[in-house]
Amino acid sequence: MLAFISARQAGLDDPLRLRRAESTRRVLSLELNKDRDVERIHGSGVNTLDIEPVEGRYMLSGGSDGVIVLYDLENFSRKPCYTCKAICSVGRSHPDVHKFSVETVQWYPRDTGMFTSSSFDKTLKIWDTNTLQPADVFNFEGTVYSHHMSPVATKHCLIAVGTKSPKVQLCDLKSGSCSQILQGHRQEVLAVAWSPRHEYVLATASADSRVKLWDVRRASGCLITLDQYNGEKSKASSEAANTAHNGRVNGLCFTSDGLHLLTIGTDDRMRLWNSSSGENTLVNYGKVCNESRKGLKFTTSTGCDPEFAFVPYGSTIAVYTIYSGELITMLRGHYNTVDCCVFQPNFQELYSGSKDCNILAWVPALREPMPDEDAAKQRLNPAFEDGWSSSDDEG
Amino acid sequence: AEDQLRGEGDDRDGPAGGSLCANPPVPPQPHGAPPPADLQHPEGQEAAAAAGTRPWGCRRTGQTGGPRGGGFGSPVSCFPLPSPAVRGCAAPPVLKHQLYSLVRDRTAVDRQLSRLKDEGLIRLFQLGFDSDVFGVAFTQDYTAKVLQSVAGKEHAGTVRRFLETAFASCPELSYDNGRMLRDFGFRDPDITQLVNAGVLTVRDAGSWWLAVPGAGRFVKCFIKGRKAVLGMIQKAKYKEILLSDLQSRRAPSAVKLGLPYHIHDLIGAQLVDCIPSTSGTLLRLADS
């Protein structure tokens, strides 16, 4: 660390290098900390978490009972021991609360004045944060599994919604219509994700084992269907042609630079794809157990040198390096299946929600303080000092 | 990776003084899945060092009382004549997931295998019991084995023609009807002969996997052996057992391919988790 600082000071190193090295060191030392806690409000499993991208201060969580809670993650108490308090919540007594389980919540990418939530009660609600009233409601024919709004879009305000129907719906916030659909899948759409690099590129994953990349400006069809065998027809049986996985595809996540896409499927595999060519990079992560019937929400780190993927694995969280496929560690702490996790990039913290109604905060372990001899002497409380002296002269 | 396949077979040379195995110092093991220190093998890139190493370092006692034909032979010794001790179960081929147990980095194994396959040095083939499981063999060993098992039979000529044309020209796993008929001039009766000889197995209507003769008997021995070894771990208290303990046990009679072979198979297929502990590596049955 001191070497990095002095190299940066002398101009030998790029300033980004110190930041990346320290971020990576912090992510590698993630652990549960007795000083950090998240207040427990949910009475049933936590399905989804989202941290706002503007300041990284506020976190939303959605539960299986339809409750949405808003937490403040920032510690202004000047004490190391801190519980992240819930500021407000849309509870069961709220007149507009979702009737069934909330599957996805997401902050509006530009500011915290608005957030969106979608649920098994076939609705997508747009909430005003200050008044906690829904500003708009979109109704669908099938249960909504997932929705996502583009984090980099400036020219459009589309929300992509994946429902039980094979058609992906695009809802426009500006006009309030949801007339645009993307056709191509054959079964329910379990996960959708916009690319963080191109504002018009959308990836969708479906129970028919296919992952498709779309350009929403194009009317004709998808851009690419990801193929796990990269076009080699010989490797699989002919029904498995052009599939991304050998089972339902449950989760999608773009890496933070948008160049690669991670997909996870019920065949217990995770695959890394090149998002511009659709090629399977054939990185082998081993067996990534996945028993979820609906979507699995996993996340990637930002700003570290080997980037990490945090994947819920049963009741633990598995941490993999993305580009080499190595399993770094398993974070154990939850009592039941972990459903979602989200990474706070400013402090390299991980928050995870699980069926045991808890949200756990994984915080980088602190460095051991250097032993200091003068400080040790000062710490001695005068009440514990005895009257005996060590010198032989005094009586 | 190529040298690993050859290097594993040195146990056929008998208990000669043994080459020094350069097991590198093991980095601190994170929790979870990576293979144990004593099964570890230097990365495929260090092919030179790999020539002398074999599973479990230099311990000659690593082989249990299994048949001499079993265990990790090199692909040359993979297909010897079956020893009389083993009835009807030919020496086993190397399975692709067993390599994951030897080399820690799975991605490197996959990439190097596909590079060797493109160069034509090795072939992957289907064994028939799971579409995810592939056997790996050097091309010349495969050809030798096939010709030997088909020698003297009437379809030897067709098989030889297949090996020289279709097999040699495309390094793929399966062949479909159109290509066989058009490009290589095989007719339906020829294809039936190839299937009878065991060189092709049916995949779909009109397409076939590359296979190896005698695969059926091998798969039967393999599945019985795998179930027996898994049963040994299942009967243990807490369903876990130290690796050294498992190696020193006597293999049950159902295990004809040798205990080391099945241990590599279980670890590579992630049916057991390898947990480092102070008394060595612990194998625990995986949950699902």
Side-chain angles (χ1 to χ4, degrees), chain A residues 54-65:
Chain A
V54 180
E55 275 183 313
R57 180 174 170 180
Y58 297 105
M59 180 167 80
L60 275 174
S61 71
S64 301
D65 48 4

Side-chain angles (χ1 to χ4, degrees), chain B residues 146 149-150 155 159 191-200 212-214:
Chain B
V146 168
S149 77
V150 120
H155 39 249
V159 171
I191 297 184
T192 321
Q193 283 187 349
L194 289 174
V195 172
N196 285 343
V199 174
L200 292 180
V212 70

Side-chain angles (χ1 to χ4, degrees), chain A residues 63-138:
Chain A
S64 301
D65 48 4
V67 170
I68 302 173
V69 187
L70 209 159
Y71 300 92
D72 180 357
L73 301 177
E74 197 82 14
N75 181 2
F76 288 124
S77 67
R78 291 170 185 252
K79 277 180 278 182
C81 186
Y82 172 66
T83 305
C84 301
K85 292 261 175 277
I87 301 179
C88 57
S89 75
V90 176
R92 295 300 314 162
S93 52
H94 194 285
D96 297 303
V97 69
H98 280 289
K99 292 192 184 53
F100 298 127
S101 131
V102 173
E103 286 304 307
T104 319
V105 282
Q106 191 196 0
W107 284 103
Y108 182 56
R110 303 289 156 207
D111 61 47
T112 52
M114 191 163 84
F115 63 88
T116 52
S117 70
S118 66
S119 138
F120 266 9
D121 65 358
K122 307 181 188 174
T123 59
L124 167 73
K125 292 195 177 162
I126 321 287
W127 299 85
D128 177 338
T129 322
N130 292 312
T131 59
L132 272 193
Q133 301 292 327
D136 203 354
V137 178
F138 292 97

Side-chain angles (χ1 to χ4, degrees), chain A residues 229 232-239 246 267-269 281-289 291 313 323-330 332, chain B residues 30-34 100 104-107 110-111 114 117 124 126 131-132 134 172-175 203-204 207 209 269-271 273 286 288:
Chain A
Y229 301 110
E232 290 174 19
K233 299 264 180 328
S234 64
K235 285 234 180 90
S237 58
S238 40
E239 303 95 49
N246 291 326
D267 59 347
D268 294 342
R269 297 271 173 264
T281 55
L282 297 173
V283 178
N284 192 333
Y285 299 95
K287 186 163 152 185
V288 183
C289 277
E291 286 147 8
Y313 190 123
Y323 300 111
S324 69
E326 192 189 335
L327 175 69
I328 302 284
T329 180
M330 307 273 272
R332 280 170 220 279
Chain B
H31 339 233
Y100 297 150
R104 184 174 152 168
D105 189 354
R106 293 169 163 247
T107 313
D110 283 347
R111 288 205 177 121
S114 84
K117 184 172 68 88
L124 295 172
Q126 264 285 333
S131 59
D132 248 349
F134 295 105
E172 284 184 7
L173 283 160
S174 82
Y175 299 90
R203 179 177 118 179
D204 270 333
S207 66
W209 293 112
Q270 288 186 296
L271 292 167
D273 295 326
S288 49

Side-chain angles (χ1 to χ4, degrees), chain A residues 146-269:
Chain A
S146 165
H147 77 269
H148 197 234
M149 189 162 167
S150 173
V152 295
T154 50
K155 301 226 179 63
H156 68 84
C157 299
L158 294 173
I159 305 181
V161 183
T163 67
K164 206 158 178 178
S165 137
K167 298 185 196 147
V168 181
Q169 303 242 21
L170 295 173
C171 302
D172 189 5
L173 276 187
K174 272 204 205 122
S175 61
S177 74
C178 54
S179 52
Q180 192 174 357
I181 43 178
L182 302 173
Q183 284 205 3
H185 282 297
R186 291 184 205 150
Q187 286 183 38
E188 48 198 19
V189 178
L190 292 173
V192 293
W194 290 90
S195 159
R197 204 174 174 87
H198 305 287
E199 58 181 308
Y200 290 108
V201 172
L202 173 70
T204 58
S206 156
D208 64 357
S209 322
R210 285 178 173 75
V211 175
K212 289 185 188 276
L213 286 172
W214 311 81
D215 184 330
V216 295
R217 296 169 291 188
R218 201 166 116 156
S220 48
C222 70
L223 287 174
I224 314 173
T225 305
L226 299 181
D227 181 8
Q228 56 177 316
Y229 301 110
N230 282 338
E232 290 174 19
K233 299 264 180 328
S234 64
K235 285 234 180 90
S237 58
S238 40
E239 303 95 49
N242 249 6
T243 54
H245 282 268
N246 291 326
R248 302 150 69 95
V249 188
N250 260 344
L252 275 185
C253 187
F254 275 95
T255 54
S256 51
D257 53 13
L259 294 172
H260 288 93
L261 173 67
L262 277 167
T263 60
I264 229 180
T266 51
D267 59 347
D268 294 342
R269 297 271 173 264

Side-chain angles (χ1 to χ4, degrees), chain A residues 24 27-28 30 255 262-265 268-272 283-290 296 298-302 304-314 316-332 341 343 350, chain B residues 30-34 104-107 270 273:
Chain A
T24 313
V27 171
L28 286 172
L30 278 179
T255 54
L262 277 167
T263 60
I264 229 180
D268 294 342
R269 297 271 173 264
M270 184 157 79
R271 298 194 208 275
L272 181 71
V283 178
N284 192 333
Y285 299 95
K287 186 163 152 185
V288 183
C289 277
N290 182 357
L296 189 71
F298 63 102
T299 184
T300 54
S301 68
T302 317
C304 304
D305 190 10
E307 293 282 7
F308 302 99
F310 304 98
V311 184
Y313 190 123
T316 65
I317 302 173
V319 183
Y320 295 96
T321 44
I322 296 184
Y323 300 111
S324 69
E326 192 189 335
L327 175 69
I328 302 284
T329 180
M330 307 273 272
L331 299 174
R332 280 170 220 279
C341 53
F343 186 70
L350 183 72
Chain B
H31 339 233
R104 184 174 152 168
D105 189 354
R106 293 169 163 247
T107 313
Q270 288 186 296
D273 295 326

